[in-house]
Amino acid sequence: MEVIETIAAFRQVRAQYGQLGFVPTMGYLHEGHLSLARLARDTCGSVAASIFVNPTQFGPTEDFARYPRSFERDLDLLRQEKVDLVFAPAVSEIYPEGFYTFVDVEHVTDTLEGAVRPGHFRGVATVVCKLFNIVQPTHAYFGQKDAQQTVVIRQMVRDLALPVEVVIVPTVREADGLAMSSRNAYLAPEERQAATVLYRALTTAQQAYQAGERNGAALRSVMQQVLAAEPLAHTEYVSVAHPTTLRALDEVGETGALLSMAVRIGATRLIDNVILP
Ligand code: PAF
């Protein structure tokens, strides 16, 4: 496995590969990331991953400085997954002095995470676009856990005709249902226990849907009630939205729905989602 820090060096090495699967990450890897790497390897034969905590996707009051980092451990895990190339640039390599170009994906960034984290998706789209230009993957792998991010990236790839196939991989969960996330590391033991409420709320609404409930407000209320019963949980939003436009739904129709939520457990902000049906 080669670990490469500069764009110039990566471009040279990239030329030796044909089909290449790409797993962009911010490090502090968990089983969710590794499932992406495994699928990339099985599909493409060769895999590149990036480790880059991207400052432009964090708001001024968010956790950029304290975002968990474990570079050597991440490299060991990627080596075990037989990843071929790791791109691990410094911030100044991606955003040098005089960096003035950003990618702004409109409409699908107005709601959900986009509404409460202004500028977040501008940072995500910009870095992913730049990473695609550097890595030149044939396929790129993202987890369903960041549902709106997958919609934004698909939209950007379509709008800018980027020559990459985007593959979305199901969320990997702990045995008790908690979606794997690097931010789970922030949770104190009693908060970790309380954090199971997100998936419980989602699956309770999913059961209501399976029992015939199609009304958006009713499904939202099911999720809110489950969340309200957990004293450590503070709900930021719950949503029943169209799976591709992300607009709130009054009724769930043929296209199904994305059930999603952002919840604070203590100081830690967690997101999760399921897709109906
Ligand atoms: O999902 C993430 O970890 C990040 O948003 C990504 C896609 C690596 C861009 O920084």
Side-chain angles (χ1 to χ4, degrees):
M1 185 173 86
E2 277 188 77
V3 182
I4 302 165
E5 290 174 7
T6 68
I7 297 170
F10 196 94
R11 288 226 157 101
Q12 270 194 344
V13 176
R14 169 66 183 101
Q16 299 160 20
Y17 291 82
Q19 184 152 270
L20 184 66
F22 177 43
V23 181
T25 83
M26 298 207 298
Y28 209 73
L29 303 181
H30 52 69
E31 187 53 33
H33 298 110
L34 303 180
S35 76
L36 305 182
R38 243 167 259 145
L39 184 63
R41 150 136 255 107
D42 291 348
T43 316
C44 301
S46 303
V47 191
S50 59
I51 299 177
F52 180 65
V53 186
N54 174 36
T56 63
Q57 70 189 72
F58 290 80
T61 61
E62 292 182 3
D63 55 345
F64 173 67
R66 71 178 191 115
Y67 193 82
R69 290 160 169 89
S70 58
F71 190 61
E72 292 307 324
R73 181 181 152 273
D74 290 348
L75 294 184
D76 283 346
L77 291 169
L78 294 174
R79 220 172 267 120
Q80 282 166 34
E81 295 302 333
K82 302 191 176 53
V83 165
D84 301 275
L85 303 173
V86 177
F87 183 50
V91 171
S92 58
E93 183 72 4
I94 298 297
Y95 301 111
E97 255 322 281
F99 181 97
Y100 297 140
T101 305
F102 288 84
V103 179
D104 229 325
V105 179
E106 297 181 351
H107 295 294
V108 291
T109 55
D110 292 346
T111 57
L112 305 174
E113 291 297 286
V116 288
R117 301 184 68 189
H120 170 67
F121 288 115
R122 182 178 189 252
V124 170
T126 301
V127 81
V128 171
C129 187
K130 184 156 186 173
L131 290 169
F132 282 177
N133 279 331
I134 297 163
V135 174
Q136 300 194 10
T138 50
H139 300 68
Y141 295 80
F142 295 88
Q144 173 58 33
K145 160 141 178 309
D146 296 303
Q148 190 171 15
Q149 172 170 280
T150 69
V151 171
V152 170
I153 287 164
R154 279 193 192 285
Q155 183 76 42
M156 173 183 77
V157 165
R158 191 162 49 235
D159 290 349
L160 301 182
L162 302 180
V164 56
E165 186 178 319
V166 173
V167 183
I168 309 303
V169 182
T171 303
V172 178
R173 298 182 180 281
E174 304 285 358
D176 60 8
L178 178 66
M180 290 202 184
S181 163
S182 305
R183 289 191 169 99
N184 293 350
Y186 297 148
L187 297 168
E190 72 280 16
E191 294 174 336
R192 167 66 188 78
Q193 180 53 40
T196 57
V197 74
L198 280 82
Y199 191 55
R200 248 191 350 270
L202 290 165
T203 48
T204 308
Q206 200 170 32
Q207 283 154 15
Y209 172 83
Q210 279 155 5
E213 184 59 77
R214 294 292 181 271
N215 183 267
L219 291 168
R220 276 189 286 278
S221 157
V222 167
M223 293 190 278
Q224 270 153 351
Q225 278 172 35
V226 177
L227 291 167
E230 171 48 68
L232 293 183
H234 299 281
T235 306
E236 225 170 66
Y237 65 78
V238 297
S239 161
V240 178
H242 187 283
T244 52
T245 67
L246 304 181
R247 294 281 152 203
L249 289 176
D250 293 332
E251 292 291 321
V252 180
E254 292 280 279
T255 51
L258 174 74
L259 304 184
S260 66
M261 58 182 55
V263 177
R264 281 185 194 279
I265 306 282
T268 305
R269 186 175 184 280
L270 300 176
I271 58 171
D272 200 357
N273 69 86
V274 299
I275 292 179
L276 301 180

